[in-house]
Amino acid sequence: MLIDGKTPINVDNTLYPFVGIAAEVGKHDSGMHKHNRAQLLFAPHGCMTITLDGSHCVLPPTKAAWIPAGVKHCAVMRNVVAYRSLYFAPSAIDNLPSELAIFNVTPLLKELIERMAFWEWDKPSNEQTNTLALCCEELLHAERYDLTLPLPTDKRLTAWLNKITTKAILPQPLNEMSIQIGASSKTISRLFIKETGMPYQAWRQQWRLLTAIEHLAENKSVSEVAHSLEFSSDSAFIHFFKQHTGETPARFM
């Protein structure tokens, strides 16, 4: 169903097994919330960031986020986003992930999402069955991407992490960070492995990747992104991006 993007809707209060929403949304912060339904979130234009309890992820236009029922999350949009959201009652889905997953959106899956997002909510169930089944089948076979960044919670990192998440500073190399935090490199390394499951350098690279995707989704050039993230050259940034995603920035976006 097409909405104006400002109308508050509680999909959990509807009696329909499937609900689709399409809207054009500008700057928006949903706040932390959860649904009793699984949600498939997709933006064919623009970029969203999704924060969960303890992690952060980026959703570019070529990917969709599967958010299981009951998972607390916050979706933030900083520019105009073509927003598509599909909500599935537990009885309407089967064999899909029980944790957040980021899927590649194939041309067929994109067309299915677009069609379902504009359905009227009272569309007869027998007219939804085949399309719903095909959508679920496409999701089951869709390529998954790791576009999530686990966040450390140690109090010694709080002020530093706030600056990182608001993009006030870039995450520095470990030896420089240890000076700013006032803790040894070994201590910081232990904290990151314990709280994020990642060595600090791997965490820093994942942060750079997700931030690069955000910038690219805002139509910034490769040169602008490479410079803002302090890569030595455009080619160094492209190599880094391809190493982590298997694709060049242009192809990925």
Side-chain angles (χ1 to χ4, degrees):
M1 177 184 291
L2 180 63
I3 62 173
D4 61 13
K6 299 178 182 179
T7 304
I9 294 177
N10 186 343
V11 296
D12 291 333
N13 288 340
T14 67
L15 300 176
Y16 306 108
F18 169 82
V19 173
I21 290 175
E24 296 289 328
V25 182
K27 189 174 181 180
H28 176 72
D29 184 335
S30 72
M32 290 297 290
H33 66 288
K34 63 181 180 179
H35 305 290
N36 294 331
R37 297 164 175 257
Q39 179 183 16
L40 185 66
L41 190 57
F42 174 60
H45 305 289
C47 185
M48 283 185 262
T49 58
I50 304 172
T51 301
L52 295 89
D53 185 16
S55 64
H56 170 86
C57 76
V58 170
L59 191 63
T62 55
K63 307 293 178 281
W66 175 260
I67 306 172
V71 173
K72 286 187 176 181
H73 62 282
C74 171
V76 175
M77 308 161 203
R78 294 185 178 85
N79 52 352
V80 175
V81 171
Y83 172 93
R84 309 289 184 256
S85 191
L86 310 182
Y87 299 91
F88 303 82
S91 59
I93 56 174
D94 191 25
N95 296 325
L96 286 169
S98 58
E99 71 285 338
L100 177 97
I102 306 297
F103 291 110
N104 186 52
V105 176
T106 63
L108 175 57
L109 182 56
K110 180 179 179 180
E111 291 304 317
L112 290 169
I113 294 172
E114 286 289 318
R115 174 176 293 188
M116 294 162 67
F118 284 90
W119 276 352
E120 293 299 323
W121 292 358
D122 58 357
K123 184 179 179 69
S125 297
N126 64 315
E127 295 179 13
Q128 300 182 19
T129 303
N130 291 340
T131 306
L132 278 168
L134 184 55
C135 179
C136 289
E137 182 180 344
E138 281 295 293
L139 287 172
L140 282 171
H141 297 290
E143 183 179 5
R144 290 172 66 164
Y145 281 79
D146 180 13
L147 298 180
T148 301
L149 184 71
L151 302 176
T153 58
D154 190 278
K155 292 181 179 179
R156 286 167 286 186
L157 300 174
T158 301
W160 173 86
L161 188 61
N162 285 339
K163 292 178 182 179
I164 295 298
T165 54
T166 58
K167 309 296 191 293
I169 62 171
L170 301 178
Q172 313 96 317
L174 182 57
N175 61 334
E176 295 178 21
M177 179 200 174
S178 65
I179 295 172
Q180 183 173 341
I181 300 299
S184 70
S185 296
K186 287 185 178 179
T187 297
I188 292 171
S189 296
R190 284 196 299 268
L191 283 175
F192 268 85
I193 291 174
K194 177 184 176 181
E195 299 197 347
T196 71
M198 305 171 70
Y200 174 71
Q201 180 59 16
W203 188 93
R204 178 174 179 254
Q205 297 293 64
Q206 183 73 349
W207 183 92
R208 294 175 97 191
L209 175 65
L210 300 192
T211 303
I213 291 171
E214 285 187 66
H215 289 333
L216 291 167
E218 294 169 356
N219 294 320
K220 293 182 180 178
S221 68
V222 165
S223 294
E224 288 177 299
V225 178
H227 176 74
S228 66
L229 295 180
E230 299 183 350
F231 282 88
S232 59
S233 65
D234 293 2
S235 60
F237 167 65
I238 293 170
H239 175 76
F240 161 84
F241 197 95
K242 191 171 182 178
Q243 189 176 40
H244 284 79
T245 67
E247 298 175 306
T248 63
R251 184 171 179 82
F252 183 88
M253 299 303 297

